[in-house]
Amino acid sequence: MKRWSLSSESVTEGHPDKICDQISDAILDEIILRDPNARVAVDASITRHLVHVFGQVTTNANIDIPAIIKSVISDIGYTNEEFGFEADSCSILMEIDEQSPDISSGVDYSIEKREGSEEEFDSLGAGDQGIMFGFACDETPEFMPLPIVLSHKLAQRLDIARKLGELSYLRPDGKTEVTVEYSENNIKRVEAVVIACQHAKDVALIQIKRDVIEKIIKDVINEELLDENTKFYINAAGRFVIGGPKGDSGLTGKKIIVDTYGGYARHGGGSFSGKDPTKVDRSAAYAARYVAKNIVAAGLASKCEVQLTYVIGKARPVSILVETFGTGRISEEKIEKLVIKHFDLRPAAIIKKFDLRRPIYRQLATYGHFGRNDLDLPWELLDKAECLKAEAQIRR
């Protein structure tokens, strides 16, 4: 019986790349709150005492971007110069332009519209070309791979322990990684757990290791998945006092694998944060997850990956591809036909279905965009599963 292992990682709120994702999505939320039809593509970079925000925004909304940036940094916990970065003292550089008219014309007047279509959802063209992947599997209640689920929960638990003062020496920066061993497609055990957590300079490594294993790892991971051979690597470098933007630079969109499926499924390359929903990098990735999750929930497959392909300015996807990795109960061609019949994957339809022109994005900038049972996310609904199951004549 084939045994194999898969590792996935996550990061805490105070990781430099995730600071940038949160800044970009906080700016997006504030703009879209005031102007739901705004076009936004905002990136941030961060290093030591400097935050650089840049991109394209077309809106009538008037917002205080520096105040938003400082609020995000403060909320994360960088409120003390001792941590190497501090909200009130950081410098902010901004370079914001309007969206290119060459892009906006293609979005506002889709190819279908220019060809005479009067259908409501043909009115909006995709905001860019690209390929987007959605994935789901039945190995966890979240319909997500176990390694990324556990990695996110460990990162979130570190942040909670820091903010509640349970481990008072913790600082905002941190990373987690979980390796899960499989036998064929069945979860066998957790093979290894890696945690790097920024800490105060006067705490001993032996205490950090003991606390993290007992209060973080064992609080998150079911004891049945841990055994005497599970390896724990806690601050393997030995010391992690200098962290955050002082220790490493950050950039929006650098954690796209953390944001999605932890390397278990493919990724088209486009990031999410700071982008309004006309950008199919974001909205179509959410739609692809919705499709894949409903396919698995319907029992059509145990694993499902959905690829969507778009052309800038065209409303309808160029192609739809379904891959079930040999777990499908009907053919992939039949599943693709069901997808075309039951899911409208034009950007305007996706935006309306998920109500994406509202400020929901900053909450997604940490701990992943999928499988979030702690959030009420419309692309996680299973409202298509029963009709797919009935039409495919699947019996459990």
Side-chain angles (χ1 to χ4, degrees):
M1 197 172 277
K2 180 182 177 182
R3 288 179 177 261
W4 54 283
S5 297
L6 180 82
S7 303
S8 296
E9 71 165 357
S10 184
V11 297
T12 62
E13 293 179 358
H15 184 280
D17 293 330
K18 274 294 154 199
I19 299 173
C20 294
D21 285 344
Q22 290 169 87
I23 288 171
S24 294
D25 276 333
I27 292 170
L28 170 63
D29 275 356
E30 198 67 23
I31 292 172
I32 213 167
L33 176 66
R34 290 165 170 74
D35 181 5
N37 294 307
R39 299 287 166 76
V40 183
V42 173
D43 292 308
S45 63
I46 196 167
T47 183
R48 296 185 74 86
H49 300 294
L50 175 66
V51 180
H52 183 196
V53 174
F54 51 98
Q56 298 78 42
V57 176
T58 302
T59 183
N60 294 320
N62 184 19
I63 65 167
D64 188 343
I65 291 179
I68 294 168
I69 293 169
K70 289 178 181 292
S71 176
V72 169
I73 294 168
S74 179
D75 288 348
I76 291 169
Y78 285 107
T79 56
N80 191 324
E81 284 285 0
E82 180 188 333
F83 302 166
F85 190 77
E86 198 265 330
D88 290 336
S89 62
C90 68
S91 299
I92 295 172
L93 177 64
M94 296 191 299
E95 296 177 85
I96 304 291
D97 299 313
E98 288 194 347
Q99 184 182 61
S100 163
D102 295 340
I103 295 174
S104 61
S105 63
V107 178
D108 293 335
Y109 301 97
S110 69
I111 291 172
E112 289 88 342
K113 187 174 182 179
R114 281 176 270 161
E115 290 177 346
S117 173
E118 295 183 0
E119 287 194 37
E120 176 190 359
F121 295 139
D122 276 343
S123 62
L124 188 72
D128 201 353
Q129 72 175 56
I131 55 175
M132 294 84 213
F133 287 94
F135 179 79
C137 60
D138 62 5
E139 68 181 53
T140 64
E142 295 86 355
F143 288 84
M144 291 284 285
L146 183 62
I148 190 65
V149 169
L150 293 179
S151 295
H152 283 323
K153 288 183 178 180
L154 288 170
Q156 191 171 29
R157 183 71 183 91
L158 279 173
D159 280 328
I160 290 170
R162 170 176 60 87
K163 291 184 173 183
L164 293 181
E166 296 175 41
L167 300 178
S168 59
Y169 53 78
L170 289 180
R171 301 296 181 254
D173 197 359
K175 299 181 76 174
T176 63
E177 181 181 279
V178 177
T179 301
V180 173
E181 181 183 322
Y182 294 80
S183 178
E184 296 298 337
N185 287 321
N186 298 314
I187 296 165
K188 299 303 291 184
R189 57 190 286 271
V190 169
E191 185 175 323
V193 180
V194 181
I195 291 183
C197 50
Q198 185 187 10
H199 58 85
K201 61 184 178 182
D202 57 354
V203 62
L205 179 59
I206 190 170
Q207 180 183 351
I208 297 173
K209 288 183 176 180
R210 181 179 65 248
D211 288 346
V212 168
I213 291 172
E214 293 300 322
K215 298 181 181 181
I216 305 297
I217 295 174
K218 291 185 177 180
D219 187 55
V220 168
I221 302 178
N222 192 310
E223 62 180 7
E224 294 178 358
L225 293 172
L226 303 173
D227 59 32
E228 66 277 6
N229 295 316
T230 300
K231 301 177 181 67
F232 301 118
Y233 300 99
I234 315 300
N235 283 11
R239 178 180 167 89
F240 189 4
V241 173
I242 299 174
K246 184 177 181 180
D248 196 6
S249 59
L251 181 66
T252 298
K254 282 180 67 178
K255 288 292 178 283
I256 56 176
I257 301 303
V258 171
D259 286 341
T260 52
Y261 307 102
Y264 200 109
R266 286 172 285 194
H267 196 293
S271 61
F272 301 152
S273 290
K275 296 178 180 178
D276 76 77
T278 66
K279 279 72 172 177
V280 284
D281 281 342
R282 173 165 235 157
S283 53
Y286 294 168
R289 160 65 176 177
Y290 174 62
V291 174
K293 186 176 180 182
N294 276 271
I295 288 170
V296 173
L300 276 60
S302 297
K303 296 181 186 179
C304 182
E305 183 183 80
V306 175
Q307 183 199 65
L308 305 177
T309 307
Y310 290 85
V311 172
I312 188 169
K314 181 173 173 59
R316 299 174 187 270
V318 175
S319 69
I320 299 170
L321 176 67
V322 172
E323 170 65 66
T324 61
F325 309 96
T327 69
R329 298 181 67 184
I330 61 174
S331 72
E332 288 158 349
E333 291 79 8
K334 289 182 179 178
I335 297 176
E336 287 168 7
K337 289 179 180 178
L338 289 173
V339 171
I340 293 169
K341 180 178 179 180
H342 291 284
F343 297 89
D344 193 335
L345 298 169
R346 292 172 289 181
I350 296 169
I351 291 169
K352 183 174 182 178
K353 170 72 177 176
F354 298 152
D355 192 13
L356 295 179
R357 297 191 190 277
R358 56 193 173 107
I360 60 171
Y361 299 107
R362 183 183 169 187
Q363 64 182 342
L364 300 169
T366 50
Y367 321 128
H369 293 242
F370 308 119
R372 297 295 301 276
N373 291 345
D374 58 324
L375 302 176
D376 182 20
L377 302 177
W379 52 91
E380 295 295 321
L381 294 176
L382 298 175
D383 55 342
K384 296 285 188 178
E386 285 303 317
C387 70
L388 292 175
K389 179 181 176 181
E391 193 154 336
Q393 298 182 333
I394 295 293
R395 294 182 180 179
R396 293 192 181 275

